[in-house]
């Protein structure tokens, strides 16, 4: 493809991660997980390398592999409460308001590792509309990078996986989208390292067009 030709993906439905994709919550994630790392005698910088994209209990299982899973789930409930209460610095990813406005009448779903309360809190703090179709932590039995959430999102919208495009920022999320048989738009600096189908620095670089046949075209802007 010539350098002057913009990258495009054509699809019928969009599955959107939240943190790092629509909402910049890095500040609160870092605060909460650094405190958690300190409580458990772990290197906070190493902890932050694996937290993005996963549900908290799954992150804890990676970092504390010998701890009973029941303790991870209990600890995760504490973490979710802390994260939901701490909204300082939660802002929209650049371009997110306009992007969500552009797809408001198109098939799309939120697929997030946050639970319903945290998703609503962060989307509200960022002044973003909450998609009507949502797959949150309560909806799945397995965290990303398992594809369950994206497959449930596609099913809820009534589309085959091949007809969906995922927007993600994390390694776990990109792996989950690929495992679901979907193409992936990587958003932000984290995503660039994990070979998404296309990559954008933020949502200001993604143009949305739709046709009468229901197809949606995403174009990466220079």
């Amino acid at each position: 493809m010539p350098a002057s030709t913009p990258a495009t993906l054509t699809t019928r439905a969009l599955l959107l991660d939240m943190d790092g994709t629509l909402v910049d919550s890095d500040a609160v994630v870092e605060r909460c997980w650094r405190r958690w790392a300190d409580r458990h005698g772990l290197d906070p910088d190493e902890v932050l390398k694996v937290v993005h994209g996963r549900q908290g209990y799954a992150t804890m299982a990676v970092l504390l592999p010998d701890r009973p899973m029941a303790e991870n789930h209990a600890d995760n409930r504490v973490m979710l409460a802390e994260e939901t209460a701490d909204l300082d610095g939660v802002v929209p990813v650049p371009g997110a308001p306009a992007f969500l406005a552009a797809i408001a009448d198109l098939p799309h779903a939120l697929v997030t590792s946050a639970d319903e309360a945290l998703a609503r809190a962060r989307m509200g703090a960022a002044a973003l509309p909450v998609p009507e179709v949502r797959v949150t932590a309560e909806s799945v039995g397995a965290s990303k990078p398992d594809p369950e959430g994206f497959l449930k999102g596609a099913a809820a919208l009534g589309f085959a996986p091949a007809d969906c495009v995922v927007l993600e920022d994390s390694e776990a999320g990109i792996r989950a989208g690929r495992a679901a048989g979907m193409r992936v738009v990587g958003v932000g600096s984290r995503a660039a390292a994990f070979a998404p189908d296309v990559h954008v620095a933020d949502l200001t670089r993604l143009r949305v067009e739709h046709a009468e046949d229901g197809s949606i075209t995403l174009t990466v802007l220079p």
Side-chain angles (χ1 to χ4, degrees):
M1 178 183 293
S4 60
T5 302
T8 62
L9 292 176
T10 301
T11 186
R12 302 191 73 82
L14 301 169
L15 301 177
L16 315 173
D17 174 52
M18 181 181 72
D19 292 299
T21 301
L22 300 174
V23 172
D24 181 351
S25 56
D26 280 3
V28 60
V29 168
E30 181 165 333
R31 282 194 297 273
C32 289
W33 281 98
R34 282 187 179 278
R35 288 197 299 267
W36 183 89
D38 288 341
R39 290 198 296 268
H40 293 279
L42 299 174
D43 181 343
D45 291 331
E46 293 302 312
V47 167
L48 290 172
K49 290 178 181 179
V50 299
V51 299
H52 297 288
R54 293 180 172 86
Q55 290 190 44
Y57 77 85
T59 294
M60 294 168 188
V62 171
L63 296 166
L64 299 173
D66 296 326
R67 189 165 78 158
M69 189 58 75
E71 291 185 30
N72 294 332
H73 281 285
D75 210 359
N76 186 47
R77 288 191 288 273
V78 175
M79 175 67 73
L80 284 170
E82 290 182 7
E83 290 186 298
T84 303
D86 185 354
L87 299 173
D88 186 26
V90 174
V91 295
V93 165
F99 179 81
L100 287 173
I103 67 169
D105 296 326
L106 305 178
H108 69 283
L110 188 70
V111 181
T112 175
S113 292
D115 65 4
E116 180 79 11
L118 180 57
R120 287 188 173 277
R122 285 187 175 162
M123 293 289 282
L128 295 174
V130 180
E132 180 179 345
V133 179
R134 298 180 297 282
V135 179
T136 58
E138 300 95 331
S139 309
V140 297
S143 170
K144 299 171 186 177
D146 190 281
E148 180 184 2
F150 287 126
L151 292 172
K152 284 192 169 181
L157 293 173
F159 291 94
D163 289 328
C164 299
V165 163
V166 166
L167 275 70
E168 265 285 0
D169 74 301
S170 69
E171 178 183 13
I174 291 170
R175 287 172 56 196
R178 290 199 180 285
M182 301 171 184
R183 291 161 295 158
V184 180
V185 175
V187 180
S189 57
R190 273 191 296 269
F194 304 111
D197 292 278
V198 299
H199 176 260
V200 292
D202 57 46
L203 295 176
T204 67
R205 315 316 302 165
L206 203 59
R207 184 174 68 215
V208 181
E209 298 171 292
H210 63 280
E212 290 185 3
D213 67 358
S215 63
I216 302 166
T217 300
L218 302 176
T219 302
V220 176
L221 302 175

